[in-house]
């Protein structure tokens, strides 16, 4: 049977798909979330990971080998405007910005290792040496500073010859002997050994025949043969001979700034991004079919952005770009992709691969997490009835109950509301907050729990038990704290310490409905299951090659369902300490190829209280109910099965049915869950609503206007 539904502020709409049963759906579109724009990207060839920094100071790590999953993130900070990002010495990640500090990140504990003032004013550029042992920064005062990378820190070594204007871009020669530095109106070439500038190459200010006041060199790339490629604010890509300091070739490619450049490791291809939202690809090709002479040719323009492309990267198989429109775009190079699988599909990553919404089902409340505040909403309601697919008018509008602003410059890392709606907890990088909520008619009395213990200084993940009596907190040192909640206060019950020899932070938590089991997953290790009653480690789920994206524990059976970034879903029996028979069957047969080709991760899993065979899960573009009582679809079956005719008998309908009931009606989907056995809530964030809140893009002059 199909459901009914629909409303405007928090609409109720139809049941998602045939065979899913009858649901009313609250269709929520008032989560006014806007991602921050992308400022820098840095590709690490050794680990095949991509670091992305955003304009609010947030840094994200994507594992490109794990279906481009965002496996780690470091929260933003109001005083950290990141202008440069780079990998060094294998797995070490550094950033620098306009506050003049160089920051190194701890990729295990997921916090900032240290911050060091470079004493050159705002830092505009940074580059690690080819050996990974040295770090260069370019500063506002015209200085280029060289740092030695030691095992624990970085150490200032010396200054290069100071230039007259800020250093906006840097690039090392692959041999590590020279560097190129882009400034305003010129490019300097330095000898690394002496620190002296050996050439100064003036950049032409001419732009479309008109002389501009100044020409900013936004990007430089130093090639093995001594060629320096520059990208500038006059819309030019230029090739220079660093040995003679002369211009070799000029390409005028845009009517606006060329803001970023990245070269492939083989130096046979490079990519640039422009302020018009266009990405240009250049390739080194033979002049004639039998000639050994090669030249750079602009081969393909791509228009996947609406606004400035502030950052680009070049992996062995893809061009990567990001900018003001907040999208991270991965454009595969088809000639480099060996297997035509999901690597061969263009993808846009817009939303974080973690939950920003939590729900108090009993009170029909939603908590929305923004960078510097939380919003609490009560869902609307309707007394109207209608047939399947109807949008029902609201008899009571959704209420905005609470706007809770953080104190200080740090972004919120995680937040959660208790199932009963009486507690809210959230954390920044240095402070943990717990509030008790008392409801009096339409008013909320908010009481902060003071004197939090030192070990609760920060959390990566927070979760309340189903009865709202316990709070589970995952710290960034790998430990898990169990807190009993009392009226307006708390009691620390236990801390599960990380496994010996690891400090890996736990990023995902799940608690069983009966409160007896707690599952925790890190970014790479397996899932650990703890016995909450006996306060000890119960078991560890066998490690799997791909990171966990979501996990949940089913009522009654205490089966743990785990989703991974490669779209595999496992079911593990906690009492039996082994995979269930259903999980073994699905692993033996394999998932449908269209299921495995989905390019956004599952971010939430839940269960139907009255239908133990159903698993509910969603990613950003689909909602699915897996019915374990039905046969699995094979590759010849339609995965996104159309609605069976209503006049078919139940026998025929079941014969054509399979276990996966999928709806693509709600998208982009930031959150979806059951409120009760007949009601769903779906939180959507249409991309047009995000674009409408961005600054206007550069207007392009069209032919004939």
């Amino acid at each position: 049977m199909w459901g009914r539904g629909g409303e405007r502020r928090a609409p109720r709409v139809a049941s998602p798909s045939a065979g899913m049963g009858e649901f009313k759906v609250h269709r929520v579109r008032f989560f006014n979330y806007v991602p921050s724009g992308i400022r820098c990207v840095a590709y690490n060839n050794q680990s095949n990971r991509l670091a992305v920094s955003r304009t609010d100071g947030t840094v994200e790590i994507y594992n490109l080998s794990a279906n481009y999953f965002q496996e780690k993130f470091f929260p933003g900070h109001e005083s950290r405007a990141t202008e440069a990002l780079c990998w060094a010495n294998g797995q070490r990640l550094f950033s620098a910005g306009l506050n003049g500090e160089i920051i190194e990140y701890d990729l295990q504990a997921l916090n900032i290792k240290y911050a060091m003032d470079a004493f050159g004013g705002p830092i505009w550029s940074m580059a690690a040496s080819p050996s990974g042992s040295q770090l260069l920064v370019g500063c506002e005062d015209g200085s280029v500073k060289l740092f030695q990378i030691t095992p624990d820190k970085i150490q200032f070594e010396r200054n290069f010859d100071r230039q007259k204007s800020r250093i906006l871009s840097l690039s090392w020669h692959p041999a590590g002997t020279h560097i190129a530095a882009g400034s305003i109106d010129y490019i300097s070439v330095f000898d690394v050994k002496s620190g002296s500038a050996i050439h100064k190459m003036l950049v032409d200010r001419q732009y479309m025949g008109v002389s501009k006041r100044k020409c900013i060199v936004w990007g430089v790339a130093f090639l093995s043969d001594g060629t320096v490629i520059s990208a500038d604010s006059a819309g030019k890509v230029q090739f220079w001979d660093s040995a003679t300091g002369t211009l070799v070739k000029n390409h005028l490619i845009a009517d606006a700034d060329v803001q970023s450049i990245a070269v492939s490791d083989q130096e046979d291809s490079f990519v640039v991004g422009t302020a018009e939202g266009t990405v240009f690809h250049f390739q080194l090709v033979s002049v004639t079919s039998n000639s050994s002479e090669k030249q750079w040719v602009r081969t393909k323009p791509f228009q996947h952005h609406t606004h400035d492309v502030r950052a680009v990267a070049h992996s062995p198989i893809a061009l990567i770009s990001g900018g003001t429109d907040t999208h991270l775009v991965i454009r595969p190079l088809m000639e480099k992709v060996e297997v035509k699988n999901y690597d061969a599909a263009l993808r846009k990553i817009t939303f974080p691969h973690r939950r920003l919404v939590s729900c108090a089902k009993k009170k029909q409340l939603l908590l929305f997490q923004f960078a510097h505040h939380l919003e609490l909403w009560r869902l609307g309601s309707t007394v109207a009835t209608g047939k399947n697919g109807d949008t029902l008018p609201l008899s009571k509008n959704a209420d905005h109950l609470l706007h809770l602003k953080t104190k200080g410059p740090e972004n919120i890392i995680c937040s959660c509301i208790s199932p009963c709606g009486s507690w809210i907890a959230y954390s920044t990088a240095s402070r943990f907050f717990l509030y008790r909520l008392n409801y009096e008619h339409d008013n909320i009395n908010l009481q902060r729990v003071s004197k939090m213990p030192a070990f609760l200084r920060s959390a990566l993940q927070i979760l309340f038990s189903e009865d709202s009596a316990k709070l589970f907190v995952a710290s960034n040192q790998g430990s898990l704290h169990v807190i009993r909640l009392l009226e307006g206060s708390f009691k620390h019950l236990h801390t599960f310490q990380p496994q010996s020899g690891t400090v890996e932070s736990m990023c995902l938590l799940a608690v069983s409905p009966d409160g007896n089991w707690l599952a925790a997953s890190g970014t790479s290790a397996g899932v650990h299951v703890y016995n909450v009653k006996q306060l000890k480690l119960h078991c560890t789920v066998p490690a799997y090659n791909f990171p966990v994206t979501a996990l949940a524990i089913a009522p009654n059976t205490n089966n743990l369902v785990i989703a991974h970034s490669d779209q595999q879903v496992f079911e593990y029996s906690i009492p039996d300490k082994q995979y269930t028979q259903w999980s073994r069957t699905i692993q033996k047969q394999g998932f449908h190829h269209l299921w495995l080709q989905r390019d956004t991760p599952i971010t939430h899993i839940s269960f139907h209280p009255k239908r133990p065979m159903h698993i509910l899960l969603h990613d950003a573009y689909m909602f699915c109910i897996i019915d374990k009582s039905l046969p699995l679809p094979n590759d010849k079956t339609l995965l996104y099965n159309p609605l069976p005719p209503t006049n078919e008998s139940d026998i025929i309908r079941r014969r054509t049915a399979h276990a996966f009931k999928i709806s693509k009606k709600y998208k982009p989907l930031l959150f979806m869950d059951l409120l009760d056995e007949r009601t769903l809530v779906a939180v959507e964030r249409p991309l047009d609503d995000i674009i409408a809140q961005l600054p206007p893009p550069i207007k392009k002059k069209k032919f004939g206007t």
Side-chain angles (χ1 to χ4, degrees):
M1 221 178 144
W2 271 59
R4 305 179 296 279
E7 62 186 11
R8 260 192 82 70
R9 276 292 270 172
R12 290 186 168 193
V13 277
S15 163
S17 176
M20 285 189 175
E22 184 176 289
F23 292 114
K24 283 183 180 177
V25 183
H26 286 268
R27 197 168 185 181
V28 172
R29 289 192 168 189
F30 45 75
F31 181 18
N32 194 22
Y33 170 73
V34 179
S36 292
I38 292 172
R39 183 62 196 92
C40 315
V41 295
Y43 175 67
N44 185 332
N45 205 6
Q46 281 179 265
S47 63
N48 199 26
R49 279 171 171 79
L50 183 78
V52 174
S53 72
R54 295 186 180 266
T55 50
D56 68 349
T58 300
V59 172
E60 302 160 346
I61 312 288
Y62 292 83
N63 186 342
L64 306 195
S65 303
N67 206 359
Y68 295 84
F69 178 59
Q70 187 192 105
E71 63 181 6
K72 299 175 185 181
F73 84 102
F74 298 88
H77 191 287
E78 280 179 348
S79 69
R80 284 205 307 264
T82 305
E83 284 292 324
L85 191 66
C86 76
W87 296 92
N89 224 352
Q91 295 284 349
R92 293 177 69 175
L93 180 65
F94 296 89
S95 75
L98 301 185
N99 64 356
E101 289 182 338
I102 302 169
I103 291 169
E104 182 172 4
Y105 298 90
D106 188 327
L107 299 177
Q108 287 297 108
L110 296 188
N111 57 16
I112 288 173
K113 213 171 183 177
Y114 58 85
M116 177 186 284
D117 196 324
F119 296 105
I123 299 171
W124 290 94
S125 52
M126 180 168 58
S129 64
S131 65
S133 60
Q134 291 172 307
L135 195 67
L136 272 178
V137 294
C139 304
E140 173 75 20
D141 65 1
S143 63
V144 176
K145 295 174 182 289
L146 184 67
F147 290 82
Q148 197 69 32
I149 300 174
T150 63
D152 300 319
K153 221 168 178 184
I154 57 170
Q155 198 173 326
F156 176 72
E157 200 166 303
R158 59 191 160 91
N159 284 313
F160 286 15
D161 287 353
R162 182 174 289 196
Q163 303 303 296
K164 287 179 182 173
S165 65
R166 63 178 67 142
I167 307 297
L168 291 154
S169 48
L170 287 168
S171 180
W172 288 79
H173 185 276
T177 53
H178 296 82
I179 63 156
S183 298
I184 297 169
D185 291 333
Y186 62 89
I187 301 161
S188 304
V189 176
F190 292 90
D191 179 274
V192 172
K193 213 171 197 177
S194 65
S196 304
I198 55 174
H199 284 298
K200 188 177 277 190
M201 304 177 293
L202 289 176
V203 180
D204 188 3
R205 292 185 184 186
Q206 286 288 317
Y207 171 72
M208 307 287 281
V210 180
S211 182
K212 293 185 89 176
R213 279 180 304 160
K214 56 188 177 184
C215 184
I216 302 164
V217 181
W218 289 118
V220 287
F222 217 143
L223 305 186
S224 302
D225 65 0
T227 301
V228 173
I229 310 171
S230 65
D232 65 41
S233 61
K236 302 189 301 294
V237 171
Q238 296 185 308
F239 296 81
W240 305 83
D241 184 336
S242 66
T244 59
T246 53
L247 179 65
V248 177
K249 196 159 187 183
N250 180 40
H251 287 265
L252 180 63
I253 64 165
D255 293 344
D257 298 43
V258 184
Q259 295 181 310
S260 45
I261 182 169
V263 181
S264 69
D265 281 354
Q266 284 75 35
E267 297 186 357
D268 58 354
S269 161
F270 71 88
V271 57
V272 294
T274 75
E276 296 171 328
T278 311
V279 171
F280 289 98
H281 185 206
F282 284 77
Q283 286 178 290
L284 193 61
V285 296
S286 299
V287 177
T288 57
S289 56
N290 54 5
S291 167
S292 60
E293 188 188 345
K294 294 190 172 184
Q295 65 179 14
W296 286 102
V297 174
R298 191 179 85 196
T299 54
K300 301 165 192 164
F302 302 120
Q303 189 77 43
H304 300 306
H305 295 275
T306 55
H307 292 64
D308 303 44
V309 179
R310 301 294 300 273
V312 290
H314 199 313
S315 85
I317 60 166
L319 308 178
I320 299 161
S321 54
T324 308
D325 68 2
T326 80
H327 301 304
L328 180 66
V329 175
I330 295 103
R331 170 90 196 192
L333 298 166
M334 296 307 290
E335 64 273 16
K336 304 274 185 175
V337 181
E338 292 172 18
V339 184
K340 298 293 184 276
N341 57 7
Y342 55 71
D343 279 340
L346 173 80
R347 66 177 72 206
K348 275 188 181 184
I349 300 171
T350 306
F351 300 104
H353 293 164
R354 60 187 189 279
R355 279 169 53 193
L356 300 173
V357 180
S358 60
C359 178
K361 298 181 181 182
K362 292 169 189 170
K363 280 205 161 78
Q364 302 220 331
L365 302 173
L366 290 176
L367 184 71
F368 299 143
Q369 178 184 315
F370 296 83
H372 292 282
H373 75 276
L374 302 172
E375 288 182 6
L376 184 65
W377 289 75
R378 182 188 288 126
L379 292 169
S381 58
T382 182
V383 293
T385 58
K387 61 183 187 297
N388 168 52
D390 285 353
T391 298
L392 303 181
L394 282 173
S395 53
K396 191 171 187 297
N397 279 337
D399 289 331
H400 185 184
L401 301 177
L402 181 68
H403 182 104
L404 185 58
K405 195 168 185 342
T406 61
K407 295 178 177 71
E410 297 175 331
N411 283 20
I412 296 172
I413 298 175
C414 57
S415 60
C416 195
I417 186 167
S418 64
C420 69
S422 297
W423 298 91
I424 286 177
Y426 75 88
S427 181
T428 67
S430 65
R431 296 182 78 188
F432 183 88
F433 298 86
L434 179 63
Y435 291 89
R436 173 80 175 173
L437 282 71
N438 293 304
Y439 299 86
E440 295 165 9
H441 305 295
D442 285 340
N443 296 323
I444 290 183
N445 177 24
L446 196 66
Q447 177 194 349
R448 184 176 165 194
V449 179
S450 57
K451 296 179 182 173
M452 302 305 291
F455 64 79
L456 270 186
R457 200 180 67 223
S458 178
L460 287 175
Q461 193 60 259
I462 308 165
L463 187 65
F464 290 91
S465 61
E466 196 87 0
D467 62 2
S468 303
K470 289 192 182 78
L471 173 65
F472 304 100
V473 180
S475 81
N476 59 10
Q477 297 301 320
S479 52
L480 282 169
H481 307 296
V482 183
I483 311 290
R484 176 179 287 137
L485 299 171
L486 308 166
E487 189 70 36
S489 66
F490 66 91
K491 182 185 177 187
H492 176 228
L493 292 180
H494 187 70
T495 295
F496 294 111
Q497 296 298 342
Q499 304 307 297
S500 58
T502 69
V503 289
E504 189 187 37
S505 305
M506 294 296 159
C507 300
L508 291 169
L509 298 176
V511 64
S512 60
D514 61 16
N516 292 338
W517 306 103
L518 176 68
S521 165
T523 52
S524 58
V527 179
H528 303 298
V529 180
Y530 299 91
N531 186 319
V532 178
K533 273 191 171 176
Q534 297 176 11
L535 298 175
K536 65 176 188 180
L537 179 68
H538 174 69
C539 65
T540 298
V541 180
Y544 184 64
N545 293 340
F546 288 83
V548 177
T549 67
L551 70 168
I553 301 172
N556 305 319
T557 61
N558 283 322
N559 287 338
L560 172 64
V561 178
I562 308 166
H564 292 271
S565 67
D566 62 344
Q567 310 299 2
Q568 295 289 338
V569 178
F570 294 91
E571 187 182 52
Y572 185 85
S573 169
I574 292 174
D576 298 339
K577 299 186 183 180
Q578 63 178 7
Y579 290 111
T580 64
Q581 189 53 53
W582 178 82
S583 191
R584 292 172 196 274
T585 303
I586 203 165
Q587 286 304 311
K588 191 176 178 183
Q589 178 177 320
F591 283 87
H592 196 285
H593 69 282
L594 292 178
W595 176 269
L596 297 176
Q597 284 171 15
R598 291 171 17 258
D599 64 4
T600 61
I602 291 163
T603 51
H604 185 56
I605 302 169
S606 58
F607 306 94
H608 196 290
K610 296 287 176 68
R611 296 176 187 150
M613 298 304 282
H614 286 193
I615 301 170
L616 289 72
L617 35 80
H618 76 82
D619 63 19
Y621 294 97
M622 71 94 207
F623 170 67
C624 175
I625 295 178
I626 300 176
D627 185 343
K628 296 189 291 179
S629 67
L630 290 176
L632 299 169
N634 58 39
D635 279 353
K636 293 175 184 172
T637 316
L638 282 172
L639 178 66
Y640 304 108
N641 47 348
L643 183 62
T646 51
N647 57 359
E648 291 283 12
S649 70
D650 280 350
I651 298 167
I652 293 172
R653 285 164 72 90
R654 275 191 78 78
R655 193 184 299 150
T656 57
H658 60 68
F660 287 69
K661 310 300 173 194
I662 295 172
S663 166
K664 291 189 170 187
K665 181 169 187 170
Y666 312 105
K667 57 188 178 184
L669 200 51
L670 296 189
F671 179 78
M672 196 158 191
D673 202 357
L674 276 172
L675 291 174
D676 57 48
E677 58 190 82
R678 297 187 63 181
T679 313
L680 284 162
V681 59
V683 180
E684 298 171 280
R685 188 64 179 135
L687 295 177
D688 289 348
D689 292 359
I690 292 173
I691 292 166
Q693 295 189 49
L694 298 177
I698 287 176
K699 284 191 173 74
K700 293 183 195 172
K701 185 169 174 60
K702 292 184 180 174
F703 181 73
T705 59

